[in-house]
């Protein structure tokens, strides 16, 4: 509430102590902020070993020691002054910040709300020196200590006790501190970190590489379900480079608790980058799930402004659109490499089922790039089989998979087959060869590792979807005109939507026209969907077009519309396939991008190894 009785005062300059305390309110919001600022200073000083000691969640004490360059003793008083720094000295350097810290506010802000002791020693100094700031008094004196710096912060908010009321429990504050340490440790695997709380070591990571450090911090689940990413744009595009790991879509989580993005080594939460990542995952993410990732974006420091937020957690790019497109395409390319091929991948990378609980792991192997002989032709080594291919309107080539013999099944929905006499070795086809179809839903296949289970509708849905995207990108979408148009009753909104978005529908390969105020006719469909239920497909597309509405959004949501079409046009669960048709589907999966999950992010196949099967039946036990 505004105090209406407040009497005007003359304008006065604020005391330095109050200025620092106001700044501390922006920068030092909780103990975790102290940890962040001190860790960044340590890394800027070239430290390779850092120890973090916390007491009472960092409120009672936060002490951080490093083996960096140290501070000469004559500069120690300046270290605690506001806006005193060794990191920038001109506007040009401010616009090209290459360090994590640069404002010169951290130590001064911390000292204004806590008791602080800074002990430091340089390589050429005979001993260390310490500066102590407590109760408004500052003293400098000789001290003992190794090369490097130790900052000991005690009784946080001792000078502003009202701020303590806003702190949470000890465990909560410690959790925030530990998360800050994890974030920074993930960005600098070349540095050793030790974290202790109340005298007990809680985490210790030796210097290593990004793959090992991320596995240590983010856990085995992330390590076993990630794709490496390394993408550079070149000097002509300002040297943009993105590296790290992206989690598989099937390993997405119900919370955004494993998302780490760094810009020039600085952890950020940036809406533009988050949107680019989300857009790349859009057509492979299941439901309201969140992908896991650890990504490092590197670019010219002059092209990013890191001075837009007190805690430096937000940034602003000079060319935000270019950065967005670069990140989007880099991640899309990585996710596209999830075809059903095990080439160059370790055995652990294959989708598998745990023999203990039959839960599918969430790893999709590295792909071979899809190679289409025509816009909707088959890849160089696969075919759907004549009748299967005809059902979706794709030109086919027939391959000889050997002699196939079928026998009547005694269980409804089960088709048993003699295994094919392969003319190729199993290793050449990671998904193996079909054995049977279960309940007209799943394909059972044998490969070199054991048994493969395939959801035929989900797999074919992805194949059709990727082929439609490729054709649309190449502007060669084949259209099948219907000899007899499919007409159906439509309400006024559906008719209006069809007329308003006729051009968009035509771009997607549809000709849907109004015959009357209450009747629509489907005159043409994309060739791969010519055997789909035209009325159901048209109604679903019109519903989505009505919800998307804006033409610009339609362009962005094009893939969502194609996914809807592919779902209607793919082979349905409940349809009986012949063995050649099943094998043809397996071959096409092996050559299709993102074949490891359907358009909604669900797995399309899983692997049971021979060892898994032995364990299930207790063989050898």
């Amino acid at each position: 509430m505004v105090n209406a009785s407040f009497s005007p005062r003359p304008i006065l300059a604020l005391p330095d102590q109050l200025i620092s305390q106001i700044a501390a309110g922006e920068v030092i919001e909780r103990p975790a902020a102290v940890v962040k600022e001190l860790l960044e200073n340590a890394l800027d000083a070239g430290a390779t070993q850092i120890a973090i000691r916390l007491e009472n969640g960092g409120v009672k004490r936060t002490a951080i020691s490093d083996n960096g360059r140290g501070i000469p003793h004559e500069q120690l008083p300046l270290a605690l002054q506001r806006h005193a720094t060794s990191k920038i000295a001109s506007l040009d350097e401010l616009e090209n910040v290459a360090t994590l810290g640069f404002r010169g506010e951290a130590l001064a802000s911390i000292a204004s709300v806590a008791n602080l002791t800074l002990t430091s020693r340089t390589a050429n100094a005979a001993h260390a020196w310490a500066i102590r700031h407590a109760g408004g008094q500052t003293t400098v004196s000789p001290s003992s200590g190794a090369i490097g710096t130790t900052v000991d912060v005690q009784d946080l908010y001792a000078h502003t006790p009202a701020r303590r009321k806003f702190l949470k429990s000890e465990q909560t504050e410690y959790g925030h501190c530990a998360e800050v340490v994890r974030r920074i440790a993930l960005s600098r695997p070349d540095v050793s970190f030790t974290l202790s709380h109340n005298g007990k070591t809680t985490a210790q990571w030796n210097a290593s590489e990004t793959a090992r450090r991320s596995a240590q911090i983010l856990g085995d689940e992330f390590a076993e379900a990630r794709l490496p990413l390394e993408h550079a744009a070149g000097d002509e595009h300002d040297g943009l480079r993105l590296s790290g790991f992206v989690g598989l879509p099937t390993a997405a989580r119900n919370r955004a608790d494993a998302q780490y993005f760094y810009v020039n080594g600085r952890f950020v939460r940036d809406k533009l980058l988050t949107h680019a990542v989300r857009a790349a995952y859009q057509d492979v993410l299941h439901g309201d799930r969140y992908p896991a990732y650890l990504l490092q974006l590197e670019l010219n420091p002059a092209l990013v402004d890191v001075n837009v937020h007190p805690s430096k957690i937000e940034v602003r790019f000079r060319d935000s659109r270019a950065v967005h497109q670069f990140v989007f395409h880099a991640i899309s390319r990585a996710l596209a490499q999830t075809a059903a091929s095990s080439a160059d991948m370790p055995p652990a990378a294959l989708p598998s089922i745990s023999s203990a609980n039959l839960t599918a792991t969430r790893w999709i192997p590295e792909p071979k790039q899809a190679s289409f002989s025509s816009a909707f032709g088959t890849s160089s080594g696969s075919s759907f089989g004549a009748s299967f291919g005809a059902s979706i309107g794709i030109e086919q080539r027939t391959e000889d998979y050997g002699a196939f013999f079928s026998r009547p099944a005694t269980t409804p929905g089960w088709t048993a087959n003699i295994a094919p006499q392969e003319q190729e070795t199993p290793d050449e086809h990671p998904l193996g060869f079909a054995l049977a179809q279960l309940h007209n839903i799943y394909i059972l296949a044998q490969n070199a590792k054991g048994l493969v289970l395939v959801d035929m509708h989900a797999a074919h849905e992805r194949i059709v979807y990727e082929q439609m995207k490729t054709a649309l990108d190449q502007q060669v979408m084949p259209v099948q005109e219907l000899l007899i148009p499919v007409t159906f009753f439509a309400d006024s909104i559906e008719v209006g939507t069809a007329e308003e978005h006729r051009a968009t529908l035509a771009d997607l390969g549809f000709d849907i026209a109004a015959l009357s105020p209450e009747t629509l006719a489907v005159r043409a469909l994309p060739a791969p969907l010519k055997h789909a239920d035209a009325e159901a497909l048209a109604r679903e597309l019109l519903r989505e077009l009505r919800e998307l509405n804006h033409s610009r959004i339609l362009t962005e949501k094009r893939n969502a519309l194609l996914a809807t079409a592919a779902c209607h046009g793919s082979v349905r669960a409940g349809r009986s396939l012949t063995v050649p048709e099943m094998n043809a589907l397996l071959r096409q999966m092996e050559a299709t991008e993102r074949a490891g999950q359907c358009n909604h992010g669900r797995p399309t196949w899983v692997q049971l190894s021979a060892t898994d099967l032995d364990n299930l039946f207790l063989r050898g036990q």
Side-chain angles (χ1 to χ4, degrees):
M1 176 180 289
V2 177
N3 186 354
S5 62
F6 175 77
S7 57
R9 294 177 180 172
I11 298 175
L12 298 173
L14 294 175
D16 284 344
Q17 178 71 3
L18 182 56
I19 292 174
S20 295
Q21 290 174 340
I22 292 173
E26 297 178 343
V27 179
I28 313 300
E29 55 184 341
R30 64 190 332 151
V34 175
V35 175
K36 174 181 179 294
E37 297 292 344
L38 297 184
L39 282 179
E40 289 179 348
N41 281 347
L43 293 174
D44 284 342
T48 59
Q49 297 177 1
I50 302 177
I52 306 99
R53 291 167 289 167
L54 305 174
E55 294 182 19
N56 192 22
V59 177
K60 182 179 180 181
R61 186 185 189 195
T62 296
I64 295 184
S65 302
D66 67 64
N67 66 341
R69 291 184 293 271
I71 304 172
H73 81 275
E74 66 273 10
Q75 297 181 20
L76 288 179
L78 280 173
L80 299 189
Q81 289 187 17
R82 293 179 60 248
H83 306 310
T85 178
S86 61
K87 301 173 185 180
I88 61 171
S90 65
L91 178 61
D92 180 66
E93 290 183 347
L94 177 62
E95 294 176 345
N96 292 271
V97 173
T99 54
L100 295 174
F102 54 87
R103 291 194 180 115
E105 286 186 335
L107 290 176
S109 296
I110 295 170
S112 70
V113 294
N115 298 320
L116 181 149
T117 301
L118 188 156
T119 304
S120 191
R121 178 184 175 186
T122 59
N124 58 1
H127 56 80
W129 289 80
I131 181 170
R132 297 177 178 85
H133 183 90
Q137 301 296 319
T138 302
T139 59
V140 179
S141 60
S143 181
S144 60
I147 295 174
T149 301
T150 296
V151 182
D152 193 342
V153 180
Q154 299 190 31
D155 298 322
L156 188 62
Y157 302 128
H159 309 317
T160 54
R163 294 294 305 276
R164 287 202 177 193
K165 296 186 297 184
F166 294 94
L167 297 177
K168 304 301 181 181
S169 68
E170 174 181 332
Q171 195 59 33
T172 298
E173 295 300 337
Y174 166 73
H176 285 288
C177 292
E179 175 62 15
V180 167
V181 177
R182 283 192 292 267
R183 289 175 187 170
I184 292 178
L186 282 169
S187 71
R188 292 296 303 271
D190 58 315
V191 177
S192 298
F193 292 87
T194 301
L195 172 63
S196 63
H197 185 222
N198 294 335
K200 179 181 179 180
T201 299
T202 55
Q204 185 169 5
W205 305 299
N206 295 326
S208 59
E209 70 288 341
T210 301
R212 179 173 175 78
R213 176 64 60 82
S214 60
Q216 291 174 327
I217 295 178
L218 301 181
D220 293 337
E221 183 179 0
F222 178 77
E224 294 171 0
R226 66 187 180 188
L227 293 169
L229 187 154
E230 187 77 33
H231 188 63
D235 294 337
E236 67 276 14
H237 296 290
D238 301 314
L240 285 168
R241 180 175 178 270
L242 187 67
S243 60
F245 297 96
V246 289
L248 289 161
T250 46
R253 309 179 180 214
N254 57 8
R255 294 187 302 166
D257 59 349
Q259 299 182 340
Y260 295 87
F261 210 119
Y262 301 84
V263 175
N264 289 344
R266 186 189 309 277
F267 176 82
V268 298
R269 284 200 189 100
D270 184 83
K271 292 180 180 178
L272 177 119
L273 297 176
T274 300
H275 183 274
V277 175
R278 189 75 184 181
Y281 273 92
Q282 183 174 0
D283 67 354
V284 293
L285 208 58
H286 177 50
D288 190 20
R289 307 279 289 179
Y290 298 90
Y293 52 83
L294 170 61
L295 295 169
Q296 293 263 12
L297 177 65
E298 298 175 28
L299 73 166
N300 186 333
L303 302 179
V304 56
D305 185 0
V306 298
N307 193 27
V308 297
H309 191 275
S311 62
K312 302 187 289 289
I313 203 168
E314 297 177 8
V315 294
R316 182 185 296 120
F317 298 101
R318 179 175 297 180
D319 189 346
S320 58
R321 179 176 176 81
V323 171
H324 182 282
Q325 289 299 99
F326 173 77
V327 173
F328 169 76
H329 287 300
I331 298 176
S332 295
R333 174 182 290 185
L335 293 177
Q337 298 179 359
T338 53
S341 166
S342 60
D344 302 322
M345 294 297 292
L350 292 171
S352 62
I353 293 181
S354 166
S355 58
N357 56 20
L358 291 182
T359 300
T361 62
R362 302 182 177 94
W363 184 262
I364 310 297
E366 188 100 10
K368 294 181 290 185
Q369 292 292 332
S371 173
F372 299 106
S373 58
S374 64
F376 283 100
T378 57
S379 62
S380 57
S382 63
S383 125
F384 275 96
S387 61
F388 187 60
S391 71
I392 59 171
I394 299 178
E395 180 184 355
Q396 300 299 329
R397 298 196 309 256
T398 303
E399 287 189 0
D400 179 11
Y401 288 100
F404 298 95
F405 303 93
S406 298
R407 59 189 179 196
T410 57
T411 303
W414 174 274
T415 303
N417 302 281
I418 301 298
Q421 300 172 1
E422 302 97 339
Q423 295 184 3
E424 298 116 325
T425 64
D427 289 337
E428 293 176 346
H429 295 301
L431 293 184
F433 294 89
L435 298 173
Q437 187 179 18
L438 179 62
H439 293 301
N440 289 341
I441 298 175
Y442 301 104
I443 295 173
L444 279 65
Q446 174 180 312
N447 66 358
K449 296 178 174 61
L451 179 67
V452 174
L453 305 175
V454 177
D455 182 332
M456 68 181 195
H457 170 68
H460 189 218
E461 184 179 341
R462 170 58 69 179
I463 291 168
V464 173
Y465 175 48
E466 292 297 331
Q467 290 178 332
M468 291 183 69
K469 284 201 302 182
T470 299
L472 202 57
D473 289 339
Q474 297 175 354
Q475 298 181 339
V476 290
M477 175 72 77
V479 175
Q480 176 65 53
E481 294 186 1
L482 302 183
L483 184 62
I484 301 176
V486 175
T487 61
F488 58 93
F489 172 80
D491 58 37
S492 58
I493 296 178
E494 288 176 322
V495 173
T497 302
E499 292 179 341
E500 181 183 354
H501 297 296
R502 189 162 187 176
T504 299
L505 288 168
D507 289 341
L508 296 175
F510 293 87
D511 183 358
I512 303 175
L515 297 183
S516 75
E518 296 181 341
T519 307
L520 286 174
V522 181
R523 295 172 175 169
L525 295 171
L529 308 178
K530 66 180 181 180
H531 292 288
D533 184 331
E535 178 182 343
L537 177 54
R539 288 188 186 277
E540 182 68 12
L541 280 177
L542 292 174
R543 182 189 64 80
E544 291 200 9
L545 285 169
R546 184 170 65 250
E547 292 178 356
L548 296 173
N549 194 22
H550 196 281
S551 59
R552 181 183 60 82
I553 299 178
L554 287 178
T555 301
E556 295 177 355
K557 296 292 186 180
R558 184 204 70 170
N559 287 351
L561 296 173
L562 290 181
T564 297
C567 184
H568 281 267
S570 58
V571 62
R572 311 303 295 178
R575 175 182 167 185
S576 178
L577 301 181
T578 66
V579 172
E581 288 173 342
M582 289 188 280
N583 277 309
L585 179 60
L586 298 178
R587 301 293 78 79
Q588 194 74 353
M589 288 176 64
E590 290 169 348
T592 299
E593 293 181 346
R594 306 177 181 88
Q597 61 278 324
C598 74
N599 309 339
H600 313 293
R602 292 187 291 268
T604 59
W605 66 285
V606 293
Q607 171 90 55
L608 268 172
S609 69
T611 301
D612 292 331
L613 295 171
D614 289 343
N615 291 338
L616 284 172
F617 291 98
L618 304 181
R619 289 178 61 86
Q621 299 183 22

